[in-house]
Amino acid sequence: MSETRYDVIAIGNAIVDVMAPCEDDLIEELSLNRGGMTLVDTERAEELYSAMGPAKEISGGSAANTLAGMAALGAQCAFIGQVADDQLGAVFSHDIHAVGIDFDTPRRAGNPPTARCLIFVTPDGERTMNTFLGASQFLPPAALDDEMIASAAILYLEGYLWDPEEPRSAMRRAIDVARAAGRKVAFTASESFVIDRHGDDFRALIEEGKIDILFVNEHELASLTGESDFEAGVAAIAGKVPVLVATRSAQGAIAVAHGERAEVAAEPIDKVIDTTGAGDLFAAGFLTGYAREESLERCLRMGAICAAEVISHYGARPEADLARLIDSKLG
């Protein structure tokens, strides 16, 4: 097998997060899906933006957040995603380059504009996300650099992006390129509603042996397997993927790899400020450990530490020195 240039190359939504604190009453007033992620059109996005208080803008998107965490831990990463040739597209490009991630997908001219996620954060730290997908839905297979994909040890795919036709085709092609090069394919289910819409596709990919590392939370696991009991869900799928990682929020996480099982508790934290990006940063810690051939338990601990850091402040990108944090806790 040829040498790798990247530890991970990811395909995902190129989104700018617009985040603002709010009181619980506003969630009800705007009829928002508290704690969930809802797709919105242009008109609804404008309505919600007008209702937000002072906001913070930072590049986001699930897979891009994971790469930001990995880059902070010293991993070599590249991102593939579609932005428009507009102001938020420039913001996204600047932010992702600034944290050391390679990103050279050409910007798309004209409408729709760059995607944005309007995030309302209530006093308990719960985030309610309203996503306008914009240009990110129009990532064509032609935008892929096959040589670049083949040069990464792991191809990481974001389930959210499976919905629109063009990026779904692009990801299918990327899977074929990665597998032909003997690389690993990691997949995050992203959200239960994505599984409700595309579960048959995901289950087919698993049955065909095209997914090497699967990330789910307990709700997504139930949607994917049809098993409401967590352990029954793990049993239903663990034998079908080489590595299964399942997170359970405050109850920690488990991983099953080639018959071996490891579990970790959630990392203690003084106060949850904002849960945005918790799963993304968990994946960042786990994948970095996995790429370095760390033990299964250490990979989980790295994930838990990264997730705890990101929920201790607003925003889905790490603010503390993750590498130093992990060294101080794990040695």
Side-chain angles (χ1 to χ4, degrees), residues 147-314:
E147 187 176 332
M148 193 178 190
I149 291 167
S151 73
I154 301 169
L155 169 68
Y156 182 65
L157 303 174
E158 177 186 323
Y160 282 133
L161 199 56
W162 200 264
D163 210 39
E165 182 180 348
E166 275 192 278
R168 183 166 65 248
S169 298
M171 286 194 285
R172 284 191 182 280
R173 179 174 143 193
I175 290 171
D176 291 341
V177 170
R179 298 203 69 80
R183 309 308 189 187
K184 303 292 187 186
V185 177
F187 188 88
T188 176
S190 294
E191 189 89 25
S192 293
F193 87 86
V194 181
I195 298 169
D196 292 341
R197 293 170 68 128
H198 301 288
D200 288 345
D201 273 359
F202 300 162
R203 285 182 281 269
L205 290 172
I206 291 167
E207 293 289 346
E208 292 164 12
K210 292 185 176 181
I211 304 299
D212 299 291
I213 308 166
L214 177 65
F215 289 92
V216 289
N217 64 29
E218 56 187 327
H219 307 297
E220 295 155 6
L221 180 66
S223 297
L224 194 61
T225 63
E227 299 284 356
S228 57
D229 178 75
F230 179 74
E231 290 300 336
V234 170
I237 207 165
K240 298 179 180 180
V241 290
V243 182
L244 170 67
V245 184
T247 57
R248 307 186 74 185
S249 300
Q251 296 180 64
I254 69 110
V256 182
H258 310 290
E260 175 194 354
R261 176 169 172 148
E263 301 184 36
V264 297
E267 197 69 18
I269 182 174
D270 292 336
K271 183 181 180 183
V272 175
I273 300 299
D274 169 25
T275 56
T276 309
D280 303 335
L281 268 293
F282 190 98
F286 186 94
L287 281 174
T288 302
Y290 184 86
R292 295 173 181 167
E293 300 183 347
E294 302 281 8
S295 71
L296 202 56
E297 183 177 353
R298 185 177 174 91
C299 291
L300 287 172
R301 286 291 311 279
M302 290 173 68
I305 291 166
C306 291
E309 190 283 332
V310 84
I311 65 175
S312 69
H313 57 76
Y314 284 113

Side-chain angles (χ1 to χ4, degrees), residues 50-70:
S50 297
M52 296 182 96
K56 176 181 180 180
E57 294 181 355
I58 185 168
S59 295
S62 174
N65 292 337
T66 295
L67 292 189
M70 294 193 71

Side-chain angles (χ1 to χ4, degrees), residues 11-149:
I11 302 178
N13 280 308
I15 298 177
V16 176
D17 287 340
V18 182
M19 189 174 313
C22 77
E23 296 302 318
D24 292 294
D25 291 350
L26 187 60
I27 302 293
E28 302 298 325
E29 183 183 324
L30 295 172
S31 300
L32 300 178
N33 175 26
R34 182 186 172 92
M37 200 290 285
T38 304
L39 297 177
V40 298
D41 59 17
T42 306
E43 184 179 353
R44 178 65 165 163
E46 290 174 354
E47 176 194 356
L48 296 180
Y49 185 67
S50 297
M52 296 182 96
K56 176 181 180 180
E57 294 181 355
I58 185 168
S59 295
S62 174
N65 292 337
T66 295
L67 292 189
M70 294 193 71
L73 291 170
Q76 298 298 309
C77 304
F79 179 72
I80 299 169
Q82 189 67 65
V83 297
D85 191 11
D86 57 15
Q87 184 178 355
L88 285 184
V91 167
F92 183 91
S93 299
H94 172 270
D95 283 358
I96 202 162
H97 285 132
V99 296
I101 299 166
D102 285 354
F103 171 59
D104 58 7
T105 308
R107 295 185 199 174
R108 189 175 188 273
N111 286 318
T114 295
R116 72 283 317 263
C117 183
L118 307 172
I119 304 173
F120 294 78
V121 185
T122 42
D124 62 356
E126 188 76 82
R127 83 281 188 266
T128 298
M129 301 186 294
N130 303 271
T131 304
F132 170 64
L133 290 172
S136 68
Q137 299 178 92
F138 297 95
L139 174 73
L144 301 185
D145 181 333
D146 290 1
E147 187 176 332
M148 193 178 190
I149 291 167

